[in-house]
């Protein structure tokens, strides 16, 4: 089993930047890709971005495209989410997740991801 631990959340002003980290341990080879999701109070969880371990292929939600950058450091088993030009609507709990090789369907479908971290809070003030 793989374990995921997020860090790097905090309070930032609108227009600022923040970088989240997702440290993976255990059977990391079971993950085809690592992704970030977020959930704001009273809202459904939504896909943010993902990256494949092997080739570094990325996907982004339209809401963050051009502002967020996902990257990975295979040697450290860590995935990063660099968030720039933050907006108050980016305020949410951010979770990283593992998508197994056996998953089918769109990557933004939360049900196809089988291991989740505890989450880290990001708050953007206006």
């Amino acid at each position: 089993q793989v374990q995921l631990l997020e860090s790097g959340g905090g309070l930032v002003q609108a227009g600022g930047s923040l970088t989240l980290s997702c440290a993976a341990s255990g059977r990391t080879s079971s993950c085809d890709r690592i992704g970030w999701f977020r959930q704001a109070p009273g809202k459904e969880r939504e896909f943010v971005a993902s990256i494949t371990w092997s080739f570094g292929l990325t996907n982004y939600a339209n809401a963050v495209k051009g502002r967020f950058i996902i990257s990975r450091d295979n040697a450290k088993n860590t995935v990063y989410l660099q968030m720039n030009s933050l907006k108050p609507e980016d305020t949410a709990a951010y979770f990283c997740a593992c998508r197994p090789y056996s998953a089918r369907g769109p990557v933004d479908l939360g049900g196809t991801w089988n291991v989740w971290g505890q989450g880290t809070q990001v708050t953007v003030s206006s």
Side-chain angles (χ1 to χ4, degrees), residues 6-39:
E6 304 95 335
S7 61
L11 174 64
V12 63
Q13 287 190 331
S17 299
L18 208 57
T19 298
L20 306 182
S21 300
C22 174
S25 59
R27 286 193 64 227
T28 58
S29 60
S30 65
C31 303
D32 173 36
R33 61 178 66 222
I34 297 292
W36 288 94
F37 288 74
R38 66 186 182 185
Q39 187 167 20

Side-chain angles (χ1 to χ4, degrees), residues 37 45 47 97-99 106-116:
F37 288 74
R45 179 181 61 194
F47 172 79
C98 159
R99 194 173 196 246
V107 297
D108 60 351
L109 201 58
T112 64
W113 300 73
N114 65 348
V115 178
W116 296 80

Side-chain angles (χ1 to χ4, degrees), residues 48-97:
V48 176
S50 73
I51 188 167
T52 61
W53 272 128
S54 298
F55 299 105
L57 301 176
T58 59
N59 293 86
Y60 293 94
N62 287 335
V64 306
K65 202 171 291 185
R67 297 189 298 124
F68 290 11
I69 300 172
I70 189 169
S71 62
R72 86 234 191 268
D73 185 332
N74 291 59
K76 295 182 178 180
N77 283 337
T78 300
V79 171
Y80 304 97
L81 185 68
Q82 180 181 340
M83 306 184 294
N84 303 314
S85 302
L86 282 162
K87 305 174 182 180
E89 50 264 43
D90 294 317
T91 295
Y94 283 72
F95 301 87
C96 65

